[in-house]
Amino acid sequence: MDNYSKDLLRTGIIEAKTGDRNVARRYLDRAIYMTGSHDVLAEAWFWMGETTDDPVEKRKALENCLAHDLLHSRARRALAILDGKLKADDVVDPNHLPPAPEGLRAADAQRFMCPKCGGRMSFAPDGQALVCEYCTRDQKLGVEPRSEDEKDFIIAMATMKGHGKPLQEQVFHCNGCGAEFIMPPGQISANCVYCDSPHVVSLEKAKDLLAPDAIIPHAFDQKRATRFLIEWVENNQIKPEKKVELPRGLYLPLWTFDVGGAIEYTAEKVEYEEDSLLNPDKPKVIRVTDQYPVMVDDLPLPASRKLSAVFLKLIPAFDMKSVKPYDPRFLASWPAEIYDVPMADASLDARSQAYNAYKKKLPHLIMGTNLVRTSSANLVVESFKLVLLPVWMTQLPFDGREHLVLINGQSGVVASDLTEQEESRPGGLFNFLADLLED
């Protein structure tokens, strides 16, 4: 009976693809009536939706499909198009992505200038406002403390935004002086090279790049960042070989993923059966196939490859509960890197990390059994966010080369690419930066 219902489904799909909707619906309806398989039911209801143009009937079919398979990607994508969350023209084939545009990328940018004196506005890390550097006028941002909104993974993967990464330099028209200036492809904020007014890219209008969803604003200024650096160097007794550059503030991108579904596993357990003649406790090995649910919230992955090794050390020191909804005003006069790891690539790493973490602890979760096999086939990425995190960056000249040092712009935690042996050598850094700290 199961094979018969699959044959009916297969024939219905063929008829639907050839355009004979009435015949297709008869086969699909019969497959739904005959089968008890959730997989067949989900696929049959999906194709039922493909045989009608009526939005009410299509919605009913898609919802029935998702009732049997909540993770049915094509049904979720079709429902998103029906709800207006996704445009059909934006859907791409991930196996045949269009080539990236060559040359300069024309981009819109928002300019931040003081409405009172026309001076440059910048985000003050010791407050929650934009401050004019000339008349000291402040402009409160008025952003809510946290946003729970996350992007749907299936919808994003259906568009170029889920697969694209910045490759081209971006050209802007400055609304202040009228000049055209070029920004490197790895940044989304910069100051005009002529009038020095701050600009932030409006990625919401870009068809191939995802805009940030959230941000943790910088919490302290360069002087305090320098104090954190001095304390760290003194505590580790490091002696730089030459003058150290002052820390530079910037934002680094981070992907976070919610991973769900289940890990399918096969395990063996031993049961004893009574044999009164020979062995009163004869062991019997039984194989069990089951699934263990997976729930991983906000799994973090660096979205930029350049500083990822050191950046990974800082990520646990951020309070991710304090994220704010992204607002370009936070980036006024602060450089921010754009991601160069596409969301699609990062999601594969997130799924792999979640699978390996659960696979490692699965023997303890299903105690009393011997794990034989596991499968990640039912593991799925459900949603994601792109978050900008604040850091201060400098280089530490030591042992014949420049070592990268990053300071958490929220908590002050310091991380570097130094080894444990290098961090334990004697010396000091205070004299190199003492002038900055003098009142």
Side-chain angles (χ1 to χ4, degrees):
M1 189 66 69
D2 186 51
N3 291 332
Y4 179 55
S5 62
K6 288 181 180 179
D7 289 337
L8 291 170
L9 172 62
R10 189 180 301 109
T11 305
I13 293 174
I14 292 173
E15 295 295 337
K17 288 183 176 181
T18 57
D20 197 337
R21 292 185 170 186
N22 291 329
V23 175
R25 289 178 69 87
R26 286 199 296 269
Y27 278 104
L28 295 172
D29 185 68
R30 190 63 178 172
I32 292 172
Y33 177 77
M34 297 294 295
T35 188
S37 167
H38 288 287
D39 292 338
V40 174
L41 285 168
E43 196 68 13
W45 276 115
F46 171 75
W47 281 99
M48 273 290 198
E50 294 293 290
T51 62
T52 179
D53 294 324
D54 183 85
V56 176
E57 290 186 10
K58 186 180 287 288
R59 180 181 297 278
K60 179 182 177 181
L62 293 174
E63 289 177 348
N64 282 330
C65 169
L66 294 174
H68 294 284
D69 182 4
L70 187 59
L71 304 177
H72 196 287
S73 59
R74 285 168 294 148
R76 290 174 62 181
R77 184 176 65 188
L79 195 59
I81 295 175
L82 199 61
D83 291 336
K85 298 178 180 179
L86 177 64
K87 296 180 180 179
D89 294 340
D90 293 338
V91 177
V92 297
D93 182 357
N95 297 317
H96 300 89
L97 296 177
E102 298 180 356
L104 295 175
R105 180 198 301 271
D108 294 326
Q110 190 173 353
R111 182 171 175 262
F112 297 97
M113 302 300 292
C114 178
K116 181 178 179 181
C117 70
R120 185 176 67 179
M121 302 284 285
S122 60
F123 172 71
D126 55 349
Q128 296 295 320
L130 293 177
V131 178
C132 177
E133 296 181 358
Y134 297 94
C135 69
T136 67
R137 173 190 173 102
D138 64 337
Q139 184 182 79
K140 298 296 183 183
L141 267 64
V143 179
E144 294 296 326
R146 190 180 180 187
S147 173
E148 295 289 347
D149 293 338
E150 294 180 321
K151 291 191 176 81
D152 188 288
F153 177 75
I154 298 298
I155 295 177
M157 284 291 288
T159 68
M160 184 61 189
K161 289 187 176 185
H163 307 268
K165 64 178 180 179
L167 297 174
Q168 300 80 26
E169 294 177 333
Q170 303 176 94
V171 59
F172 295 91
H173 176 82
C174 179
N175 294 325
C177 65
E180 298 279 350
F181 67 98
I182 296 175
M183 181 184 295
Q187 296 183 9
I188 58 175
S189 60
N191 292 345
C192 175
V193 294
Y194 297 101
C195 67
D196 203 32
S197 57
H199 288 70
V200 179
V201 182
S202 299
L203 288 179
E204 291 82 357
K205 300 179 181 180
K207 290 188 176 182
D208 56 346
L209 294 178
L210 291 162
D213 302 292
I215 187 172
I216 296 180
H218 272 277
F220 49 84
D221 57 15
Q222 187 183 54
K223 192 170 184 177
R224 190 174 174 194
T226 305
R227 290 186 182 275
F228 283 124
L229 178 62
I230 291 173
E231 292 174 2
W232 179 80
V233 172
E234 291 293 320
N235 289 337
N236 289 282
Q237 298 183 336
I238 298 172
K239 183 179 180 180
E241 296 172 349
K242 59 181 179 180
K243 188 173 182 178
V244 178
E245 294 183 0
L246 299 179
R248 305 180 299 279
L250 74 155
Y251 286 94
L252 294 180
L254 178 81
W255 295 113
T256 67
F257 294 93
D258 293 341
V259 183
I263 291 181
E264 184 178 304
Y265 68 89
T266 299
E268 292 180 343
K269 63 178 181 179
V270 178
E271 291 186 352
Y272 294 90
E273 56 183 15
E274 295 184 1
D275 188 341
S276 57
L277 296 178
L278 299 176
N279 301 314
D281 294 316
K282 184 179 179 181
K284 181 180 179 181
V285 177
I286 300 176
R287 283 206 168 190
V288 178
T289 298
D290 203 347
Q291 292 186 347
Y292 194 89
V294 172
M295 294 179 62
V296 180
D297 183 48
D298 289 340
L299 178 64
L301 285 171
S304 177
R305 291 186 175 92
K306 288 185 294 186
L307 309 176
S308 60
V310 181
F311 187 36
L312 270 172
K313 300 179 182 180
L314 281 187
I315 292 175
F318 284 100
D319 178 14
M320 300 303 294
K321 294 182 179 180
S322 65
V323 297
K324 298 179 181 296
Y326 171 72
D327 191 308
R329 291 175 292 177
F330 285 118
L331 305 187
S333 295
W334 291 84
E337 284 196 10
I338 199 170
Y339 61 90
D340 60 11
V341 179
M343 187 275 290
D345 294 351
S347 68
L348 295 177
D349 291 338
R351 190 174 180 274
S352 176
Q353 287 189 22
Y355 172 63
N356 290 329
Y358 265 81
K359 182 180 178 181
K360 184 178 181 180
K361 61 183 180 182
L362 195 57
H364 303 286
L365 298 173
I366 51 173
M367 295 187 339
T369 61
N370 179 33
L371 200 62
V372 176
R373 183 189 64 86
T374 60
S375 172
S376 62
N378 295 327
L379 210 60
V380 64
V381 177
E382 297 177 348
S383 58
F384 71 96
K385 283 190 300 188
L386 179 60
V387 186
L388 295 180
L389 299 183
V391 300
W392 292 87
M393 179 178 67
T394 189
Q395 288 79 36
L396 193 66
F398 183 79
D399 202 18
R401 69 180 181 91
E402 299 281 343
H403 292 268
L404 175 66
V405 178
L406 296 180
I407 304 169
N408 185 312
Q410 181 190 39
S411 63
V413 173
V414 182
S416 76
D417 61 359
L418 292 169
T419 64
E420 295 182 2
Q421 291 79 9
E422 289 171 327
E423 289 182 354
S424 62
R425 297 187 184 182
L429 178 68
F430 187 83
N431 292 335
F432 290 98
L433 301 172
D435 292 341
L436 177 72
L437 300 177
E438 290 181 355
D439 294 330

